[in-house]
Amino acid sequence: MAKATMYFPPDFKWGCATAAHQVEGGNDKNDWWAWEQGPGHIRGGQKSGKAADWWGKGFEKDMDFAAQMHNNAHRLSVEWSRIEPQEGRWDDAALDRYRDMLKSMHGRNIEPMITLHHFTNPVWVAERGGWETPSTVPLFERFTVKVVEALKDLCDFWITINEPNVYSILGYMRNVDAHDPATPQGTFPPGKDDLKLALAVVDNMLLGHAAAYHAIHRLQEQARVGLAHHMRLFDPFRPGSLLDRWVAGNRDRIFNQVVIDAMLHGKIGRPIGLARRVRLLRNTADFIGLNYYTREYTRFDRSRADTAMFGSAVPNPQAEMSDGNYGEIYPRGLFRVLKRLGSTGKPIYITENGLPDADDDQRPCFLITHLRQVWHAINQSIPVMGYYHWSLVDNFEWAEGWDLRFGLVELDVETQERRLRRSGELYGEICQSNKIDTDLVQRYAPEMVETLFPG
Ligand code: BGC
């Protein structure tokens, strides 16, 4: 074993990420709340309820944990349905509450990054067709203007939209593997199964992103604006099979590449039909926000001539899986996607990375091995500027309800009691010292020492 140290750059952003509906609680004005009331939508009929009570006392408690972990950054989202509960009716008290939250983050030296759309829509927006219709784009732009005008003295770091690809697939393509009863992910509202609509939703969200990007820059010169893009690895199950490679390649293009081509080159309307170029969408990323979780092995499957486009995800028998078969733990995949994004020349923030692990027996090793890949990428001159772990505290995991626990802080939803997990202590040491060394790995994940620091 060699004694060695992996150093991170001096101004590196260390934080966690959260989303409003998953932590705030008690908001019945959005489409997710409505969806939760429907039978069979959420595992075991669970509900978001009070969530982590961020609209009450929970926010301050969790920010204390973030400060205790020496986080210097945090990604949170604002809830459109609180700020504009009815069309054109603005709730200034909600904006004031967000102002207070941002101030209390600054008071702890935690720099906020705000997401404007993280999966939820006001009920009135959903009733008008949500992202199925381009008429949502100007509504989202108007909402963006309202938020930026109200909060711009407290934040200049923005994510327009979280994961258009995931939003569209989970809400509009019920037949893909992610929705099989055997896999952990359920469906999102509106629970449709329509490829054409799925594609329209992605396009409209990308147009919404572009409109928000320009609106923010009009209001705030120094703003840094991006989109949080979920990327997965799609590897052929049988690398020698042309058909497996073909379906894996298709999935990669549809899931990973479409959004990149849109933000950088203004291309939309693919993969079905001709691409069109939208001038306003070109170069609408001051940075790329990367959400990375896992990889999928993909196999050609004749029986899936539906929205799965002849592909099936096959479990990798060798892989270590996280709770509930959420996904393979594949740290190298983070380096692979960073390398790919590095070729865009844009700064990269890892805006989400994490795993469900209720008993915290995998998370310490997960953190160390994934951060090692980040370090490796930085050493290859890939401009990775920050890492936001998903998530700070256990939160409402959408269709999985409370079964999957992603927090560095463990939450008892009933009593609202919290406890820092051991992985939270580890993350705190990394954020404070800005490095990972042999001693730290020895204490938190001794089984990794020989692999990470061979003699
Ligand atoms: C989403 C989060 C979600 C996380 C874990 C991401 O795709 O942005 O809202 O909780 O995955 O599943």
Side-chain angles (χ1 to χ4, degrees), residues 19 22 75 118-119 162-163 166 185 230 291 293 326 352 390 395-398 406:
Q22 296 180 270
R75 173 180 172 225
H118 197 126
F119 291 166
N162 184 67
E163 303 184 346
V166 170
Q185 281 157 304
H230 188 128
N291 295 356
Y293 286 88
Y326 179 81
E352 287 182 33
W390 186 275
N395 56 53
F396 180 70
E397 178 54 21
W398 308 111
F406 281 84

Side-chain angles (χ1 to χ4, degrees), residues 145-329:
V145 167
K146 186 81 184 174
V147 172
V148 176
E149 276 173 346
L151 306 180
K152 68 178 176 189
D153 56 324
L154 297 167
C155 179
D156 62 5
F157 205 9
W158 306 92
I159 295 282
T160 54
I161 296 192
N162 184 67
E163 303 184 346
N165 53 356
V166 170
Y167 177 90
S168 133
I169 288 172
L170 294 186
Y172 292 88
M173 289 169 69
R174 289 200 306 136
N175 288 337
V176 296
D177 306 293
H179 301 278
D180 283 351
T183 67
Q185 281 157 304
T187 34
F188 281 22
K192 294 188 180 173
D193 187 17
D194 185 328
L195 181 60
K196 258 197 169 153
L197 274 184
L199 296 171
V201 163
V202 173
D203 284 358
N204 290 330
M205 287 188 124
L206 289 166
L207 296 173
H209 156 76
Y213 177 90
H214 294 293
I216 298 170
H217 276 296
R218 275 196 298 273
L219 293 167
Q220 198 181 40
E221 226 177 293
Q222 82 280 18
R224 293 153 294 159
V225 189
L227 173 151
H229 181 33
H230 188 128
M231 290 182 77
R232 284 176 180 247
L233 273 303
F234 296 95
D235 284 340
F237 182 63
R238 297 162 299 183
S241 153
L242 277 180
L243 287 171
D244 286 7
R245 278 161 44 191
W246 177 69
V247 283
N250 279 345
R251 284 193 168 197
D252 175 67
R253 261 188 303 284
I254 295 165
F255 194 86
N256 294 323
Q257 196 58 35
V258 163
V259 171
I260 298 174
D261 286 347
M263 292 186 294
L264 299 184
H265 310 300
K267 278 193 209 164
I268 62 168
R270 290 196 314 162
I272 292 189
L274 287 179
R276 67 186 164 102
R277 299 225 180 216
V278 179
R279 201 175 44 83
L280 275 182
L281 190 52
R282 260 194 67 226
N283 206 11
T284 51
D286 302 330
F287 62 89
I288 295 182
L290 167 67
N291 295 356
Y292 171 76
Y293 286 88
T294 189
R295 101 164 128 184
E296 277 177 30
Y297 271 108
T298 308
R299 180 186 186 124
F300 178 78
D301 183 347
R302 209 175 302 277
S303 71
R304 302 302 299 271
D306 50 22
T307 42
M309 286 175 266
F310 297 106
S312 281
V314 215
N316 170 6
Q318 264 95 56
E320 182 187 352
M321 302 296 285
S322 53
D323 285 3
N325 273 333
Y326 179 81
E328 173 186 356
I329 297 179

